[in-house]
Amino acid sequence: MSRRRSMEAILQDQWVTIGELARLTGLRYSTLKFYTEEGMLPFCQPESNLTRRYRRVETMGRLERIGELKAQGLSIPEIQARLAE
Amino acid sequence: MELNHVYALIAMNGLESSRNSLARQAVDRALAAAEILSPALDLALESPEEFAAKVRAAGQAARKLRGRAARTLEKENFSALKAMGVMEEAPALMGSDMLYATSGVELLMWRGEEGAWRKAVEEFRAELLELGEPTVECGALFWLLRESCVLNELFSTREQDEVQSRVTALATENPVWRCLVEEEFHDALVALGLKAMRAKRAMFRNPYLEGVALFFPFLERRASIFIDQVVLGTTVKERRTAVVEYLKARGHRVREVPNGSETLLEIDGSFYRAWPTTRTVRLPIQGMALVPVYL
């Protein structure tokens, strides 16, 4: 068991969990999970029963890009296509 | 933010501060437990036995909590959250109902800052629903929210089953989770009352009974808000705009949310459909009824 990390500790680390991503971005867990399952957020998972970890800077950038594309009215498949470019 | 403040932000949000309710009593008990448990979280890593003793002490303090001490605890937590800029005292929606507004009754509630509340809730949800071992804070928060009957407001029915089986598995492997699962401090009568209220609310989520509540508002009074205004000869948009302006002037956070072919109103974080109707006192009074929408 571990303690919850402070915001300073999170911002110094390269990797974050999905819970920490929710704290950083204010996005819903279900939204982040959906993006992950749709392959829009790359993650690393050392073992199948361990927490998924995301590269903090890269993932935050992706989420910002997804937000911009959504604001432009693009659908999820269109956003996926844009992210894959 | 410390554990007791995270708990207070999640649980006090939306509670009426000017009225003593069952929900408020349940939250007060958990606030007392949170105050004891918050500085002792490191013990969970260093000595699970000592942590278990702290959990029992926290449970005992919660069970012993009485009126005046409860009010003091609420005030302390509210002041701390207000100083952080994440909670305020705002008018409760029920106070905007015609009967309450015209009788001069002021109803207040605690309202968490939307962003801070969402971040706290979503981090907790993610930790409990994701793979991997949750943190000590998550375990303690789960315990406080379960004992104050708030958990079912944060998880869907399917998620609650998932959380239940997850926590059972964690409790078999981990002594910290075990002591949190075993210790109880809720008041059985309060929990029963809250369960009955929830069952009633769930009943009126049925689309057929929504209409019944519209015509017989006393059946689900707190979800039957009536705002008097001239309806005859107005358009849907005009009526909605009038409701939005009225509620904003009374201090509510209101947003129009398009939902398919209709537009809903998000008022202080809950969704409503504005419905033109009349209330008959001695004469029929035209106005808009706000009917809760569960998305």
Side-chain angles (χ1 to χ4, degrees), chain A:
Chain A
M1 244 187 157
S2 60
R3 292 291 308 268
R4 186 171 281 179
R5 297 198 296 173
S6 68
M7 194 55 104
E8 291 74 35
I10 294 171
L11 291 174
Q12 278 170 8
D13 198 352
Q14 190 190 353
W15 298 94
V16 289
T17 64
I18 196 165
E20 289 166 345
L21 263 184
R23 195 185 339 166
L24 284 170
T25 60
L27 287 171
R28 288 175 194 275
Y29 162 66
S30 48
T31 306
L32 293 169
K33 194 178 169 204
F34 174 73
Y35 290 162
T36 304
E37 285 167 359
E38 288 296 315
M40 294 155 81
L41 297 180
F43 64 90
C44 144
Q45 192 174 21
E47 283 176 43
S48 61
N49 61 342
L50 291 181
T51 317
R52 286 184 276 216
R53 299 208 165 258
Y54 302 78
R55 284 184 189 276
R56 181 174 53 82
V57 178
E58 185 190 323
T59 310
M60 296 284 283
R62 274 208 164 218
L63 287 170
E64 209 171 301
R65 178 100 176 101
I66 292 169
E68 283 166 10
L69 295 172
K70 264 180 79 177
Q72 288 171 21
L74 267 67
S75 66
I76 293 294
E78 286 168 336
I79 295 173
Q80 283 172 316
R82 288 283 187 94
L83 290 174
E85 279 171 13

Coordinates of all heavy atoms in Angstrom, one line a residue, chain A:
Chain A
M1 N 0.8 -1.2 0.0 CA 0.0 0.0 0.0 C 0.9 1.2 0.0 O 2.0 1.2 0.6 CB -0.9 0.0 1.3 CG -2.3 -0.1 1.0 SD -3.3 0.1 2.4 CE -4.8 0.7 1.7
S2 N 0.4 2.3 -0.6 CA 1.2 3.5 -0.6 C 0.3 4.7 -0.3 O -0.9 4.6 -0.2 CB 1.8 3.7 -2.0 OG 0.8 3.8 -3.0
R3 N 1.0 5.9 -0.1 CA 0.2 7.1 0.1 C -0.1 7.8 -1.2 O 0.7 7.6 -2.2 CB 1.0 8.1 1.0 CG 1.2 7.6 2.5 CD 0.0 7.7 3.3 NE -0.7 8.9 3.2 CZ -0.6 9.9 4.1 NH1 0.3 9.8 5.1 NH2 -1.3 11.1 4.0
R4 N -1.1 8.6 -1.2 CA -1.4 9.4 -2.4 C -0.3 10.4 -2.6 O 0.2 11.0 -1.7 CB -2.7 10.1 -2.2 CG -3.2 10.8 -3.4 CD -4.7 11.2 -3.2 NE -5.6 10.1 -3.4 CZ -6.9 10.2 -3.3 NH1 -7.4 11.4 -2.9 NH2 -7.7 9.2 -3.5
R5 N 0.1 10.6 -3.9 CA 1.2 11.5 -4.1 C 0.7 13.0 -4.1 O -0.4 13.3 -4.6 CB 1.9 11.2 -5.5 CG 2.5 9.8 -5.5 CD 3.5 9.7 -6.6 NE 2.9 9.8 -7.9 CZ 3.6 9.8 -9.0 NH1 4.9 9.8 -9.0 NH2 3.0 9.8 -10.2
S6 N 1.6 13.9 -3.7 CA 1.3 15.3 -3.7 C 1.4 15.8 -5.2 O 2.0 15.2 -6.0 CB 2.2 16.1 -2.9 OG 3.5 16.1 -3.4
M7 N 0.8 16.9 -5.4 CA 0.8 17.5 -6.8 C 2.2 17.8 -7.2 O 2.5 17.5 -8.4 CB -0.1 18.8 -6.8 CG -0.4 19.3 -8.2 SD -1.2 18.1 -9.2 CE -2.9 18.6 -9.1
E8 N 3.1 18.2 -6.3 CA 4.5 18.5 -6.6 C 5.2 17.2 -7.1 O 5.9 17.2 -8.1 CB 5.2 19.1 -5.4 CG 4.8 20.5 -5.0 CD 3.5 20.5 -4.3 OE1 3.1 19.5 -3.6 OE2 2.7 21.5 -4.5
A9 N 4.9 16.1 -6.4 CA 5.5 14.8 -6.7 C 5.1 14.4 -8.1 O 5.8 13.8 -8.9 CB 5.2 13.8 -5.6
I10 N 3.8 14.6 -8.4 CA 3.2 14.1 -9.7 C 3.9 14.9 -10.8 O 4.3 14.4 -11.8 CB 1.7 14.3 -9.7 CG1 1.0 13.4 -8.7 CG2 1.1 14.1 -11.1 CD1 -0.5 13.6 -8.5
L11 N 4.0 16.2 -10.6 CA 4.5 17.1 -11.6 C 6.0 16.9 -11.9 O 6.6 17.3 -12.9 CB 4.2 18.6 -11.3 CG 2.8 19.0 -11.4 CD1 2.5 20.4 -10.9 CD2 2.2 18.8 -12.8
Q12 N 6.7 16.2 -10.9 CA 8.1 15.9 -11.1 C 8.3 14.6 -11.8 O 9.4 14.3 -12.3 CB 8.8 16.0 -9.8 CG 9.2 17.4 -9.4 CD 9.6 17.5 -7.9 OE1 9.9 16.5 -7.3 NE2 9.8 18.7 -7.4
D13 N 7.3 13.7 -11.8 CA 7.5 12.4 -12.3 C 7.1 12.3 -13.8 O 6.3 13.1 -14.2 CB 6.6 11.4 -11.5 CG 7.0 10.0 -11.7 OD1 7.9 9.7 -12.5 OD2 6.5 9.1 -11.0
Q14 N 7.7 11.4 -14.5 CA 7.4 11.2 -15.9 C 6.1 10.5 -16.1 O 5.5 10.6 -17.1 CB 8.6 10.5 -16.5 CG 8.6 10.5 -18.0 CD 9.7 9.5 -18.6 OE1 10.5 8.9 -17.8 NE2 9.7 9.3 -19.9
W15 N 5.8 9.6 -15.1 CA 4.7 8.7 -15.3 C 3.5 9.1 -14.3 O 3.8 9.4 -13.2 CB 5.1 7.2 -15.0 CG 6.1 6.7 -16.0 CD1 7.5 6.7 -15.8 CD2 5.9 6.2 -17.3 NE1 8.1 6.2 -16.9 CE2 7.1 5.8 -17.8 CE3 4.7 5.9 -18.0 CZ2 7.3 5.3 -19.1 CZ3 4.9 5.3 -19.3 CH2 6.2 5.0 -19.8
V16 N 2.3 8.9 -14.8 CA 1.2 9.2 -13.9 C 0.1 8.0 -14.0 O 0.1 7.4 -15.1 CB 0.5 10.5 -14.2 CG1 1.3 11.7 -13.7 CG2 0.1 10.7 -15.6
T17 N -0.7 7.9 -13.0 CA -1.8 6.9 -13.1 C -3.0 7.6 -13.7 O -3.0 8.8 -13.8 CB -2.1 6.3 -11.7 OG1 -2.6 7.4 -10.9 CG2 -1.0 5.7 -11.0
I18 N -4.1 6.8 -13.9 CA -5.3 7.4 -14.5 C -6.0 8.3 -13.5 O -6.5 9.3 -13.8 CB -6.2 6.3 -15.0 CG1 -7.3 6.9 -16.0 CG2 -6.9 5.5 -13.9 CD1 -8.0 5.9 -16.8
G19 N -5.8 7.9 -12.2 CA -6.4 8.7 -11.1 C -5.7 10.1 -11.0 O -6.4 11.1 -10.9
E20 N -4.4 10.0 -11.2 CA -3.6 11.3 -11.1 C -3.9 12.2 -12.4 O -4.0 13.4 -12.3 CB -2.1 11.0 -11.0 CG -1.8 10.4 -9.6 CD -0.4 9.8 -9.6 OE1 0.2 9.5 -10.6 OE2 0.1 9.6 -8.4
L21 N -4.2 11.5 -13.5 CA -4.6 12.2 -14.7 C -5.9 12.9 -14.5 O -6.1 14.1 -14.9 CB -4.7 11.2 -15.9 CG -3.6 11.1 -16.8 CD1 -4.0 10.1 -18.0 CD2 -3.1 12.4 -17.4
A22 N -6.8 12.2 -13.8 CA -8.1 12.9 -13.5 C -7.9 14.1 -12.6 O -8.6 15.1 -12.8 CB -9.0 11.8 -12.8
R23 N -7.0 14.0 -11.6 CA -6.7 15.1 -10.7 C -6.1 16.3 -11.5 O -6.3 17.4 -11.3 CB -5.8 14.7 -9.6 CG -5.9 15.7 -8.5 CD -4.9 15.6 -7.3 NE -4.4 14.3 -6.9 CZ -3.4 14.2 -6.1 NH1 -2.9 15.2 -5.5 NH2 -2.9 13.0 -5.8
L24 N -5.2 15.9 -12.4 CA -4.5 16.9 -13.2 C -5.4 17.7 -14.2 O -5.3 18.9 -14.3 CB -3.3 16.3 -14.0 CG -2.0 15.9 -13.2 CD1 -1.1 15.1 -14.1 CD2 -1.3 17.2 -12.7
T25 N -6.3 16.9 -14.8 CA -7.0 17.5 -15.9 C -8.5 17.9 -15.5 O -9.1 18.7 -16.2 CB -7.1 16.5 -17.1 OG1 -7.8 15.3 -16.6 CG2 -5.8 16.2 -17.6
G26 N -9.0 17.2 -14.5 CA -10.4 17.4 -14.1 C -11.3 16.7 -15.0 O -12.6 16.8 -15.0
L27 N -10.8 15.8 -15.9 CA -11.7 15.0 -16.8 C -12.2 13.8 -16.0 O -11.7 13.4 -15.0 CB -10.9 14.5 -18.0 CG -10.5 15.5 -19.0 CD1 -9.5 14.9 -20.0 CD2 -11.7 16.0 -19.8
R28 N -13.4 13.3 -16.5 CA -14.0 12.2 -15.8 C -13.2 10.9 -16.0 O -12.6 10.8 -17.1 CB -15.4 12.0 -16.3 CG -16.4 13.0 -15.9 CD -17.7 12.7 -16.7 NE -18.6 13.9 -16.6 CZ -19.4 14.1 -15.5 NH1 -19.5 13.3 -14.5 NH2 -20.2 15.2 -15.5
Y29 N -13.2 10.0 -15.0 CA -12.5 8.8 -15.1 C -13.1 8.0 -16.3 O -12.3 7.4 -17.1 CB -12.7 8.0 -13.8 CG -12.4 6.5 -14.0 CD1 -11.1 6.1 -14.2 CD2 -13.4 5.6 -13.8 CE1 -10.9 4.7 -14.4 CE2 -13.2 4.2 -14.0 CZ -11.9 3.8 -14.3 OH -11.6 2.5 -14.4
S30 N -14.4 8.0 -16.5 CA -15.0 7.3 -17.6 C -14.5 7.8 -18.9 O -14.3 7.0 -19.9 CB -16.5 7.3 -17.5 OG -17.0 8.6 -17.3
T31 N -14.3 9.1 -19.0 CA -13.8 9.7 -20.3 C -12.4 9.2 -20.6 O -12.1 8.7 -21.7 CB -13.8 11.2 -20.2 OG1 -15.1 11.6 -19.8 CG2 -13.4 11.9 -21.5
L32 N -11.5 9.2 -19.5 CA -10.1 8.8 -19.7 C -10.1 7.3 -20.0 O -9.3 6.9 -20.9 CB -9.4 9.1 -18.4 CG -9.2 10.6 -18.1 CD1 -8.6 10.8 -16.6 CD2 -8.2 11.3 -19.0
K33 N -10.9 6.6 -19.4 CA -10.9 5.1 -19.6 C -11.4 4.9 -21.1 O -10.8 4.0 -21.8 CB -11.9 4.5 -18.7 CG -11.8 3.0 -18.6 CD -12.7 2.4 -17.6 CE -12.8 0.9 -17.7 NZ -14.0 0.3 -17.2
F34 N -12.4 5.6 -21.5 CA -12.9 5.4 -22.9 C -11.8 5.8 -23.9 O -11.5 5.0 -24.8 CB -14.1 6.3 -23.1 CG -14.6 6.4 -24.5 CD1 -15.3 5.3 -25.0 CD2 -14.4 7.5 -25.3 CE1 -15.7 5.3 -26.4 CE2 -14.8 7.5 -26.6 CZ -15.5 6.4 -27.2
Y35 N -11.1 6.9 -23.7 CA -10.0 7.3 -24.6 C -8.9 6.2 -24.6 O -8.3 5.9 -25.6 CB -9.4 8.6 -24.2 CG -10.3 9.8 -24.4 CD1 -10.0 11.0 -23.7 CD2 -11.3 9.8 -25.2 CE1 -10.8 12.2 -23.9 CE2 -12.2 10.9 -25.4 CZ -11.9 12.1 -24.7 OH -12.7 13.2 -24.9
T36 N -8.6 5.7 -23.4 CA -7.6 4.6 -23.3 C -8.0 3.4 -24.1 O -7.3 2.8 -24.9 CB -7.4 4.2 -21.9 OG1 -7.0 5.4 -21.1 CG2 -6.3 3.2 -21.7
E37 N -9.3 3.0 -23.9 CA -9.7 1.7 -24.6 C -9.9 1.9 -26.1 O -9.8 1.0 -26.8 CB -11.1 1.3 -24.0 CG -10.9 0.7 -22.6 CD -12.1 0.5 -21.8 OE1 -13.2 0.9 -22.3 OE2 -12.0 0.0 -20.7
E38 N -10.1 3.2 -26.5 CA -10.2 3.4 -27.9 C -8.8 3.6 -28.6 O -8.7 4.0 -29.7 CB -11.0 4.7 -28.2 CG -12.5 4.5 -27.9 CD -13.2 3.5 -28.9 OE1 -12.9 3.6 -30.1 OE2 -13.9 2.7 -28.4
G39 N -7.8 3.5 -27.8 CA -6.4 3.6 -28.3 C -5.9 5.0 -28.5 O -4.9 5.3 -29.2
M40 N -6.6 6.0 -27.9 CA -6.2 7.4 -28.1 C -5.2 7.8 -27.1 O -4.5 8.9 -27.3 CB -7.5 8.3 -28.0 CG -8.5 8.0 -29.1 SD -10.1 8.4 -28.7 CE -10.1 10.2 -29.0
L41 N -5.0 7.1 -26.0 CA -4.0 7.4 -25.0 C -3.1 6.2 -24.8 O -3.5 5.2 -24.2 CB -4.7 7.8 -23.6 CG -5.6 9.0 -23.6 CD1 -6.2 9.1 -22.2 CD2 -4.9 10.3 -24.0
P42 N -1.9 6.3 -25.3 CA -0.9 5.2 -25.1 C -0.6 5.1 -23.6 O -0.5 6.1 -22.9 CB 0.3 5.6 -25.9 CG -0.1 6.8 -26.7 CD -1.3 7.4 -26.1
F43 N -0.4 3.8 -23.2 CA -0.1 3.6 -21.7 C 0.9 2.5 -21.6 O 1.1 1.7 -22.6 CB -1.3 3.3 -20.9 CG -2.0 2.1 -21.3 CD1 -1.7 0.9 -20.7 CD2 -3.0 2.1 -22.3 CE1 -2.4 -0.3 -21.1 CE2 -3.7 1.0 -22.7 CZ -3.4 -0.2 -22.1
C44 N 1.4 2.3 -20.4 CA 2.4 1.2 -20.2 C 1.8 0.4 -19.0 O 1.3 1.0 -18.0 CB 3.7 1.8 -19.9 SG 4.7 1.0 -18.7
Q45 N 1.8 -0.9 -19.1 CA 1.3 -1.7 -18.0 C 2.3 -2.9 -17.8 O 2.2 -3.9 -18.6 CB -0.1 -2.2 -18.3 CG -0.8 -2.8 -17.2 CD -2.3 -3.1 -17.5 OE1 -2.6 -3.2 -18.7 NE2 -3.1 -3.2 -16.5
P46 N 3.1 -2.9 -16.8 CA 4.1 -3.9 -16.6 C 3.5 -5.3 -16.5 O 4.0 -6.3 -17.1 CB 4.8 -3.6 -15.3 CG 4.5 -2.2 -15.0 CD 3.2 -1.9 -15.7
E47 N 2.4 -5.5 -15.8 CA 1.7 -6.8 -15.7 C 0.2 -6.5 -15.8 O -0.2 -5.4 -15.5 CB 2.0 -7.4 -14.3 CG 3.4 -8.1 -14.3 CD 3.7 -8.6 -12.9 OE1 2.8 -9.3 -12.3 OE2 4.8 -8.4 -12.5
S48 N -0.5 -7.5 -16.2 CA -2.0 -7.3 -16.5 C -2.8 -6.9 -15.2 O -3.8 -6.3 -15.3 CB -2.6 -8.6 -17.1 OG -2.4 -9.6 -16.2
N49 N -2.2 -7.2 -14.0 CA -3.0 -6.8 -12.8 C -2.4 -5.5 -12.1 O -2.8 -5.2 -11.0 CB -3.0 -8.0 -11.8 CG -1.6 -8.3 -11.3 OD1 -0.6 -8.0 -12.0 ND2 -1.5 -9.0 -10.2
L50 N -1.6 -4.9 -12.8 CA -1.0 -3.6 -12.3 C -1.6 -2.4 -12.9 O -2.2 -2.4 -14.0 CB 0.5 -3.6 -12.4 CG 1.3 -4.6 -11.6 CD1 2.8 -4.5 -11.9 CD2 1.0 -4.5 -10.1
T51 N -1.4 -1.3 -12.2 CA -2.0 0.0 -12.6 C -1.4 0.4 -14.0 O -0.2 0.3 -14.2 CB -1.7 1.1 -11.6 OG1 -1.9 0.6 -10.3 CG2 -2.5 2.4 -11.8
R52 N -2.3 1.0 -14.8 CA -1.8 1.5 -16.1 C -1.1 2.8 -15.8 O -1.5 3.6 -15.0 CB -2.9 1.8 -17.1 CG -3.5 0.5 -17.6 CD -4.6 0.8 -18.6 NE -5.8 1.0 -18.0 CZ -7.0 0.6 -18.5 NH1 -7.0 0.0 -19.6 NH2 -8.1 0.8 -17.8
R53 N 0.1 3.0 -16.5 CA 0.8 4.3 -16.3 C 0.9 5.0 -17.6 O 1.1 4.4 -18.7 CB 2.2 4.0 -15.7 CG 2.1 3.3 -14.4 CD 3.3 3.6 -13.5 NE 2.9 3.2 -12.1 CZ 2.5 4.0 -11.2 NH1 2.5 5.3 -11.4 NH2 2.2 3.6 -10.0
Y54 N 0.8 6.3 -17.6 CA 0.8 7.2 -18.8 C 2.0 8.1 -18.7 O 2.3 8.6 -17.6 CB -0.5 8.0 -18.9 CG -1.8 7.2 -18.9 CD1 -2.3 6.6 -17.7 CD2 -2.4 6.9 -20.1 CE1 -3.4 5.9 -17.7 CE2 -3.6 6.2 -20.1 CZ -4.1 5.6 -19.0 OH -5.2 4.9 -19.0
R55 N 2.6 8.4 -19.8 CA 3.6 9.5 -19.9 C 2.9 10.8 -19.7 O 2.0 11.2 -20.5 CB 4.3 9.5 -21.2 CG 5.3 8.3 -21.3 CD 6.1 8.4 -22.7 NE 6.8 7.3 -22.9 CZ 8.0 7.0 -22.4 NH1 8.6 8.0 -21.6 NH2 8.7 5.9 -22.6
R56 N 3.3 11.5 -18.6 CA 2.5 12.7 -18.2 C 2.5 13.8 -19.3 O 1.4 14.2 -19.7 CB 3.2 13.3 -16.9 CG 2.4 14.5 -16.4 CD 3.0 15.0 -15.0 NE 4.4 15.2 -15.0 CZ 5.0 16.3 -15.5 NH1 4.3 17.3 -15.9 NH2 6.4 16.3 -15.5
V57 N 3.6 14.2 -19.7 CA 3.6 15.4 -20.7 C 2.9 15.0 -22.0 O 2.1 15.7 -22.5 CB 5.1 15.8 -20.9 CG1 5.1 17.0 -21.9 CG2 5.7 16.2 -19.6
E58 N 3.3 13.8 -22.5 CA 2.7 13.4 -23.8 C 1.2 13.2 -23.7 O 0.5 13.7 -24.5 CB 3.4 12.1 -24.2 CG 3.0 11.5 -25.5 CD 3.5 10.1 -25.7 OE1 4.6 9.8 -25.2 OE2 2.7 9.3 -26.3
T59 N 0.7 12.6 -22.6 CA -0.7 12.4 -22.4 C -1.5 13.7 -22.2 O -2.6 13.8 -22.8 CB -0.9 11.4 -21.2 OG1 -0.1 10.3 -21.4 CG2 -2.4 11.0 -21.2
M60 N -0.9 14.6 -21.4 CA -1.6 15.9 -21.2 C -1.7 16.6 -22.6 O -2.8 17.2 -22.8 CB -0.8 16.7 -20.2 CG -0.7 16.2 -18.8 SD -2.2 16.4 -17.9 CE -2.1 18.1 -17.5
G61 N -0.7 16.5 -23.4 CA -0.7 17.2 -24.7 C -1.8 16.5 -25.6 O -2.5 17.2 -26.3
R62 N -1.9 15.2 -25.5 CA -2.9 14.5 -26.3 C -4.3 14.9 -25.9 O -5.2 15.1 -26.7 CB -2.7 13.0 -26.1 CG -1.7 12.4 -27.1 CD -2.0 11.0 -27.4 NE -1.3 10.6 -28.5 CZ -1.7 9.8 -29.5 NH1 -2.9 9.3 -29.4 NH2 -1.0 9.5 -30.5
L63 N -4.5 14.9 -24.6 CA -5.8 15.3 -24.1 C -6.2 16.7 -24.5 O -7.4 17.0 -24.8 CB -5.9 15.2 -22.5 CG -5.9 13.7 -22.0 CD1 -5.6 13.7 -20.5 CD2 -7.2 13.0 -22.4
E64 N -5.2 17.6 -24.5 CA -5.5 19.0 -24.9 C -5.9 19.0 -26.4 O -6.8 19.6 -26.8 CB -4.2 19.8 -24.7 CG -4.5 21.3 -24.5 CD -3.2 22.0 -24.0 OE1 -2.6 21.6 -23.0 OE2 -2.8 22.9 -24.8
R65 N -5.2 18.2 -27.2 CA -5.4 18.1 -28.6 C -6.8 17.5 -28.9 O -7.6 18.0 -29.7 CB -4.4 17.2 -29.3 CG -4.5 16.9 -30.8 CD -3.6 17.8 -31.6 NE -3.7 17.5 -33.0 CZ -4.5 18.2 -33.9 NH1 -5.1 19.3 -33.4 NH2 -4.5 17.9 -35.1
I66 N -7.2 16.4 -28.1 CA -8.5 15.8 -28.2 C -9.6 16.8 -27.9 O -10.6 17.0 -28.6 CB -8.6 14.6 -27.3 CG1 -7.7 13.4 -27.8 CG2 -10.1 14.1 -27.2 CD1 -7.5 12.3 -26.8
G67 N -9.3 17.6 -26.9 CA -10.3 18.7 -26.5 C -10.5 19.7 -27.6 O -11.6 20.1 -27.9
E68 N -9.4 20.1 -28.2 CA -9.5 21.1 -29.3 C -10.3 20.5 -30.5 O -11.2 21.2 -31.0 CB -8.1 21.4 -29.8 CG -7.4 22.4 -28.9 CD -5.9 22.4 -29.2 OE1 -5.5 21.9 -30.3 OE2 -5.1 23.0 -28.4
L69 N -10.0 19.2 -30.8 CA -10.7 18.6 -32.0 C -12.2 18.4 -31.7 O -13.0 18.5 -32.5 CB -10.0 17.2 -32.3 CG -8.6 17.3 -32.8 CD1 -7.9 16.0 -32.9 CD2 -8.5 18.0 -34.2
K70 N -12.5 18.1 -30.4 CA -13.9 17.9 -30.0 C -14.6 19.2 -30.1 O -15.7 19.3 -30.6 CB -14.0 17.4 -28.6 CG -14.1 15.9 -28.5 CD -14.2 15.4 -27.0 CE -15.6 15.6 -26.5 NZ -15.6 15.1 -25.1
A71 N -13.9 20.3 -29.7 CA -14.5 21.6 -29.8 C -14.8 22.0 -31.2 O -15.7 22.8 -31.5 CB -13.6 22.6 -29.1
Q72 N -14.0 21.5 -32.2 CA -14.2 21.8 -33.6 C -15.4 21.0 -34.2 O -15.7 21.1 -35.3 CB -12.9 21.5 -34.4 CG -11.8 22.4 -34.2 CD -10.5 22.0 -34.8 OE1 -10.5 21.1 -35.7 NE2 -9.4 22.5 -34.3
G73 N -15.9 20.1 -33.3 CA -17.1 19.3 -33.7 C -16.7 17.9 -34.4 O -17.6 17.3 -35.0
L74 N -15.5 17.5 -34.2 CA -15.1 16.2 -34.9 C -15.6 15.0 -34.0 O -15.7 15.1 -32.8 CB -13.6 16.1 -35.0 CG -13.0 16.6 -36.3 CD1 -13.1 18.1 -36.4 CD2 -11.5 16.2 -36.3
S75 N -15.9 13.9 -34.7 CA -16.4 12.7 -34.0 C -15.2 11.9 -33.5 O -14.1 12.2 -33.9 CB -17.2 11.8 -35.0 OG -16.4 11.4 -36.0
I76 N -15.5 10.9 -32.7 CA -14.3 10.1 -32.1 C -13.5 9.5 -33.2 O -12.3 9.6 -33.2 CB -14.9 9.1 -31.1 CG1 -15.4 9.9 -29.9 CG2 -13.8 8.1 -30.7 CD1 -14.4 10.6 -29.0
P77 N -14.2 8.8 -34.2 CA -13.3 8.2 -35.3 C -12.5 9.2 -36.0 O -11.3 9.0 -36.4 CB -14.4 7.5 -36.2 CG -15.6 7.3 -35.4 CD -15.6 8.4 -34.4
E78 N -13.1 10.4 -36.2 CA -12.3 11.5 -36.9 C -11.1 11.9 -36.1 O -10.0 12.2 -36.6 CB -13.2 12.7 -37.2 CG -14.2 12.4 -38.4 CD -15.3 13.4 -38.5 OE1 -15.6 14.1 -37.5 OE2 -15.9 13.6 -39.6
I79 N -11.4 12.0 -34.8 CA -10.3 12.4 -33.8 C -9.2 11.4 -33.8 O -8.0 11.7 -33.9 CB -10.8 12.7 -32.4 CG1 -11.8 13.9 -32.4 CG2 -9.7 12.9 -31.4 CD1 -12.5 14.1 -31.1
Q80 N -9.6 10.1 -33.8 CA -8.6 9.0 -33.9 C -7.8 9.1 -35.1 O -6.6 8.9 -35.1 CB -9.4 7.7 -33.8 CG -9.9 7.3 -32.4 CD -10.7 6.1 -32.4 OE1 -11.6 5.9 -33.3 NE2 -10.5 5.2 -31.5
A81 N -8.4 9.4 -36.2 CA -7.7 9.5 -37.5 C -6.7 10.6 -37.4 O -5.5 10.5 -37.9 CB -8.7 9.7 -38.6
R82 N -7.1 11.8 -36.9 CA -6.2 12.9 -36.8 C -5.0 12.6 -35.9 O -3.9 13.0 -36.1 CB -7.0 14.1 -36.2 CG -8.0 14.8 -37.1 CD -7.3 15.6 -38.2 NE -8.2 16.4 -39.0 CZ -8.6 17.6 -38.7 NH1 -8.1 18.2 -37.7 NH2 -9.5 18.2 -39.4
L83 N -5.3 11.9 -34.8 CA -4.2 11.6 -33.8 C -3.2 10.6 -34.5 O -2.0 10.6 -34.1 CB -4.8 11.0 -32.5 CG -5.6 11.9 -31.6 CD1 -6.2 11.1 -30.5 CD2 -4.7 13.0 -31.0
A84 N -3.7 9.8 -35.4 CA -2.8 8.8 -36.0 C -1.9 9.4 -37.1 O -1.0 8.8 -37.5 CB -3.7 7.6 -36.5
E85 N -2.3 10.6 -37.5 CA -1.5 11.2 -38.6 C -0.1 11.5 -38.2 O 0.2 11.8 -37.1 CB -2.2 12.5 -39.0 CG -3.4 12.4 -39.9 CD -4.2 13.7 -40.1 OE1 -3.7 14.7 -39.7 OE2 -5.3 13.6 -40.6

